[in-house]
Structures are given as structure tokens and as C-alpha cells.
Amino acid sequence: MSEYRPLSDSDWARIASLFRYDEMRRYGKVRRHPRDVMDAVLWVLSQRKSWKDLPADMPPIKTCYIKCLQWRRDGTLMQVEHLLGINLIFPDAVHSNPSHGKQGVRDLLRVASQTKTPLT
């Protein structure tokens, strides 16, 4: 298990252009900054933990899980790997959201694939 450390300012500067961020509120919720979500995704992958183990100071599990799926599917995580010179390993446990049964995971995958605007 590798040591987790949040993205440094210089690392974020290298990958920030890959992420769209609009501070406007959507449905009454404040959007989570992509840097916070990326830190959470990197935490799960580096610690090889389940999403349910995400620390309380990180963004919501559902937000991070869906963003991870979207970014993996659209190639953003591959670009992050290239720009940061890291290798992200996706164990099976990372893709099973413990707060949902099989049907819930299928629904999340469907929502993530059909979403045209970012979910936060």
C-alpha cells in the first residue's frame, strides 16, 4: 500500500485544465471542486480501500464514485496518469460501491454514462 498525499499545487496546475468547474449552485447544492474529488479518488486507489472507508473530510462517496467512473470512461484518469507520471491501479473493490446493491451500481453506471453535465 503506498503512502497517500494530497495533490500538490504544482501537480494540480499540471492537470487542472482536464477538469471543468463551475461554481454555480445546482439544485441547491454547492459543487465539489474537482481537486477535492481527485484527491478522494487518489486516496481510494493508493490506500486500496473501499469507498465506504473514505475519510469524513473528503467529498461525498457517491460524488467521488460517479466522478471516478466518468473520468475513467472518458479518458481523464489516463491523462492524469500521463501528466503526473503515475500508474493508477483499479482493483475490483474500487468499483463496488458498498452503499448500493447490484441494482444500485447498475443505476449509477447508467446515470454516469447518460449524464451530460457533471454530477456533484
Side-chain angles (χ1 to χ4, degrees):
M1 180 166 24
S2 63
E3 177 93 16
Y4 166 74
R5 60 187 171 82
L7 287 167
S8 66
D9 290 339
S10 63
D11 285 342
W12 178 249
R14 282 189 271 170
I15 64 171
S17 63
L18 300 174
F19 304 94
R20 191 176 58 155
Y21 179 62
D22 180 7
E23 293 185 17
M24 287 186 58
R25 295 185 117 186
R26 182 171 174 226
Y27 305 115
K29 294 183 181 183
V30 176
R31 291 180 185 263
R32 297 308 297 240
H33 196 281
R35 182 176 182 168
D36 296 334
V37 177
M38 179 54 70
D39 275 334
V41 169
L42 293 174
W43 183 89
V44 168
L45 297 176
S46 68
Q47 299 301 304
R48 297 181 190 231
K49 298 276 186 168
S50 173
W51 290 104
K52 70 178 177 147
D53 298 324
L54 201 60
D57 61 338
M58 298 270 187
I61 293 170
K62 188 174 179 181
T63 298
C64 297
Y65 177 74
I66 289 175
K67 283 298 187 185
C68 181
L69 290 175
Q70 288 176 339
W71 292 340
R72 187 170 183 201
R73 193 171 282 138
D74 71 12
T76 301
L77 290 180
M78 190 168 66
Q79 292 177 52
V80 167
E81 285 180 307
H82 175 74
L83 291 171
L84 296 182
I86 59 176
N87 185 26
L88 300 176
I89 300 170
F90 295 90
D92 291 337
V94 170
H95 297 292
S96 59
N97 188 334
S99 64
H100 301 281
K102 288 183 180 180
Q103 183 61 42
V105 171
R106 273 189 240 120
D107 289 343
L108 284 174
L109 290 170
R110 181 179 43 74
V111 167
S113 67
Q114 294 173 351
T115 302
K116 293 181 181 161
T117 56
L119 296 175
T120 56

